[in-house]
């Protein structure tokens, strides 16, 4: 056992606040980021939620510090899922919108936040919820009242009237009452709704650029916003320091969204050569959510979905097996996201197997869920790697994820912002 370095002691014991809470983690193998080779026995020292030192070998545990011994395990940065819906569970009961209060979403969300963290995901991007449910969860996990990941939240998605993410399938007067208030028509109104989302607490702007599979709207999967509306949304969001994530399936919708300056395309099902070119030219990142397609295909033919939805699910099944590979080979940057909520929360890491199946290496898939995703969030100096100064978002698995990222399907130990999740 070596002595802790002078620098680490200085930071852990002197430089920290009076009530410094220090944990020393001993682990047999350490992967600090997706670009580095695994290291052997190592110590990671965490003080007040931050990594303050990373040392070779097992350093001594200072008096008053907690010790965590992860024998036989590999410690890696916590994973990042850029597309989750914590406040909902899978199912086709669209009428629940009319009978369940928004507050119930917080209860469901608290359950799912814990499952998501236990699955190794220490940061998530919440891709659409009722007005305050995801924001309440965001605060709950930040303050340690709810076990769960760091949450970067969109709040209600911005949609066209009657589009995916607006309310559909009820009598007109019911649709109106249930509308979130975030539909818009024309560049001016769309800019206003972006500003409204910002005012009400959004960290990121979510739009539904094209039709969607699981809504009751039967208007196809192509572009629903005009190019002018999408450009207005992107420009307005960027002027407020916010990025835009666009749900998009149809090729022309993907292309228009990329050209408008939207930051990420989520799903991307019908991506083609022109859409790939537009994404590459504009630095647009693809978040493929392959688990969403897996989840909906598992529920086909059971009377779970309405006929209009069932038909859309069947239509996308073949594309779901190949589109990410096409984008990857075409040079599009890919970041990890699953659409959990469409399938059971906690299965997020099964996305790795699907990404590898379409041609990514384990190392690339691991990067997509750490450093690449952190960059998408604008948090590359905060999360996605294990280094002094970074948030103490750490997970332990068995095996070497750089050679086989499916090892993340079984996560043994999780720390989010210095707090162990159990
Ligand atoms: Zn989604």
């Amino acid at each position: 056992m070596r002595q802790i370095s002078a620098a680490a002691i200085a930071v852990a014991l002197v430089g920290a606040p009076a009530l410094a809470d220090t944990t020393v983690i001993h682990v047999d193998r350490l992967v600090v980021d997706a670009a580095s080779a695994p290291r052997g026995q190592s110590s990671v020292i965490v003080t007040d939620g931050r990594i303050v030192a990373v040392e070779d070998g097992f350093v001594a545990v200072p008096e008053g510090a907690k010790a965590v011994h992860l024998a036989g395990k590999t410690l890696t940065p916590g994973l990042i899922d850029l597309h989750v819906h914590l406040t909902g569970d899978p199912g086709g009961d669209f009428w629940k919108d009319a009978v369940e209060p928004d507050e119930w979403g917080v209860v469901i969300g608290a359950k799912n936040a814990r499952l998501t963290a236990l699955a190794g995901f220490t940061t998530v991007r919440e891709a659409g919820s009722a007005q305050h449910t995801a924001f309440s969860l965001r605060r709950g996990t930040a303050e340690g009242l709810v076990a769960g990941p760091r949450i970067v939240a969109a709040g209600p998605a911005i949609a066209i009237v009657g589009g995916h993410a607006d309310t559909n399938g009820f009598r007109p007067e019911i649709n109106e009452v249930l509308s979130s208030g975030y539909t818009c028509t024309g560049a001016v109104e769309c800019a206003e709704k972006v500003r409204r989302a910002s005012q009400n607490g959004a960290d990121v702007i979510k739009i539904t650029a094209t039709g969607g599979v699981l809504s009751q709207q039967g208007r196809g999967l192509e572009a629903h916003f005009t190019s002018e509306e999408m450009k207005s949304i992107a420009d307005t969001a960027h002027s407020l320091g916010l990025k835009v994530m666009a749900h998009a399936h149809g090729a022309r919708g993907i292309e228009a969204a990329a050209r408008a300056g939207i930051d990420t395309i989520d799903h991307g099902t019908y991506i083609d050569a022109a859409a790939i070119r537009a994404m590459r030219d504009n630095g647009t990142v693809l978040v493929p959510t392959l688990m969403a397609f897996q989840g909906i295909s598992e529920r086909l033919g059971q009377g779970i979905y309405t006929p209009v939805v069932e038909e859309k699910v069947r239509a996308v099944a073949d594309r779901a097996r190949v589109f990410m590979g096409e984008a990857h080979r075409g040079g599009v940057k890919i970041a990890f996201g699953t659409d959990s909520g469409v399938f059971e929360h906690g299965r997020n890491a099964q996305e790795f197997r699907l990404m590898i199946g379409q041609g990514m290496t384990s190392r690339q898939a691991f990067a997509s869920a750490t450093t690449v995703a952190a960059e998408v969030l604008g948090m590359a100096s905060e999360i996605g790697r294990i280094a002094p100064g970074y948030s103490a978002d750490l997970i332990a698995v068995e095996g070497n994820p750089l050679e086989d990222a499916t090892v993340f399907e079984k996560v043994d130990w999780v720390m989010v912002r210095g707090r162990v999740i159990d």
Side-chain angles (χ1 to χ4, degrees), residues 233-304:
I233 288 168
D235 290 349
T236 306
H238 294 160
S239 74
L240 296 165
L242 300 174
K243 292 192 177 189
V244 184
M245 57 187 300
H247 154 110
H249 292 290
R252 301 289 68 78
I254 297 168
E255 188 181 356
R259 291 198 195 290
I262 301 290
D263 300 280
T264 70
I265 298 293
D266 294 43
H267 316 311
T269 321
Y270 290 96
I271 195 164
D272 63 5
I276 284 172
R277 209 174 314 117
M279 288 186 71
R280 240 181 15 225
D281 290 351
N282 291 281
T284 320
V285 176
L286 177 67
V287 179
T289 70
L290 301 177
M291 274 303 289
F293 300 98
Q294 175 72 28
I296 58 180
S297 64
E298 288 168 7
R299 288 174 175 74
L300 265 179
Q302 298 174 38
I304 291 172

Side-chain angles (χ1 to χ4, degrees), residues 334-349:
I334 292 171
F336 188 101
T338 64
D339 215 355
S340 65
V342 167
F343 61 92
E344 298 83 354
H345 293 274
R347 290 176 62 190
N348 313 54

Side-chain angles (χ1 to χ4, degrees), residues 83 85 127 206 267 339:
H83 196 125
H85 299 278
K206 163 82 184 286
H267 316 311
D339 215 355

Side-chain angles (χ1 to χ4, degrees), residues 85-420:
H85 299 278
L86 293 174
T87 58
D89 279 327
D93 301 332
F94 75 100
W95 49 265
K96 283 186 176 168
D97 284 354
V99 298
E100 280 179 353
D102 289 349
E103 288 81 352
W104 183 242
V106 180
V107 175
I108 296 293
K111 166 186 76 84
N112 290 332
R114 179 171 168 276
L115 292 176
T116 302
L118 287 174
F121 290 81
T122 54
T123 298
V124 298
R125 188 170 68 167
E126 233 293 332
S129 64
Q131 178 68 73
H132 287 295
T133 53
F135 298 162
S136 298
L137 286 170
R138 174 179 67 189
R139 180 174 170 188
T141 64
E143 295 188 6
L145 302 174
V146 173
R150 172 187 293 94
I151 298 171
V152 175
I158 297 176
I160 65 160
V161 173
H164 187 62
D166 192 16
T167 308
N168 288 283
F170 298 101
R171 294 161 54 124
E173 60 273 33
I174 306 295
N175 283 335
E176 191 144 334
V177 167
L178 294 178
S179 173
S180 69
Y182 283 92
T183 59
C184 63
T185 306
V188 172
E189 195 184 14
C190 288
E192 186 201 330
K193 291 301 161 79
V194 170
R195 291 173 181 147
R196 191 72 66 199
S198 166
Q199 177 184 39
N200 289 338
D203 299 314
V204 58
I205 300 298
K206 163 82 184 286
I207 72 163
T208 48
T210 75
V213 176
L214 290 184
S215 55
Q216 303 307 314
Q217 60 90 29
R219 295 285 177 267
L221 298 174
E222 260 306 341
H224 281 175
F225 280 109
T226 66
S227 295
E228 291 69 32
E229 288 166 339
M230 286 201 254
K231 184 154 189 340
S232 169
I233 288 168
D235 290 349
T236 306
H238 294 160
S239 74
L240 296 165
L242 300 174
K243 292 192 177 189
V244 184
M245 57 187 300
H247 154 110
H249 292 290
R252 301 289 68 78
I254 297 168
E255 188 181 356
R259 291 198 195 290
I262 301 290
D263 300 280
T264 70
I265 298 293
D266 294 43
H267 316 311
T269 321
Y270 290 96
I271 195 164
D272 63 5
I276 284 172
R277 209 174 314 117
M279 288 186 71
R280 240 181 15 225
D281 290 351
N282 291 281
T284 320
V285 176
L286 177 67
V287 179
T289 70
L290 301 177
M291 274 303 289
F293 300 98
Q294 175 72 28
I296 58 180
S297 64
E298 288 168 7
R299 288 174 175 74
L300 265 179
Q302 298 174 38
I304 291 172
Y305 299 131
T306 58
V308 65
V309 171
E310 188 102 357
E311 190 182 316
K312 288 188 283 182
V313 172
R314 290 187 197 281
V316 298
D318 288 343
R319 284 297 301 162
R321 283 188 272 276
V322 295
F323 79 89
M324 191 221 80
E326 292 172 11
H328 179 56
R329 287 190 295 280
V332 172
K333 189 179 270 192
I334 292 171
F336 188 101
T338 64
D339 215 355
S340 65
V342 167
F343 61 92
E344 298 83 354
H345 293 274
R347 290 176 62 190
N348 313 54
Q350 293 176 29
E351 181 87 11
F352 288 112
R353 189 179 291 273
L354 301 175
M355 295 172 97
I356 293 163
Q358 291 194 31
M360 283 181 104
T361 65
S362 279
R363 192 184 281 272
Q364 287 168 336
F366 175 44
S368 83
T370 49
T371 42
V372 176
E375 203 180 298
V376 167
L377 293 173
M379 300 177 77
S381 57
E382 174 78 6
I383 56 174
R385 50 169 47 98
I386 299 176
Y390 277 67
S391 178
D393 296 358
L394 305 164
I395 65 174
V397 292
E398 271 171 29
N400 181 358
L402 297 171
E403 282 167 13
D404 179 8
T406 66
V407 298
F408 288 121
E409 289 177 15
K410 188 180 169 295
V411 171
D412 298 308
W413 180 87
V414 179
M415 174 180 269
V416 182
R417 294 193 266 214
R419 287 189 282 263
V420 175

Side-chain angles (χ1 to χ4, degrees), residues 44 46 49 90 295 381:
V44 176
V46 171
S381 57

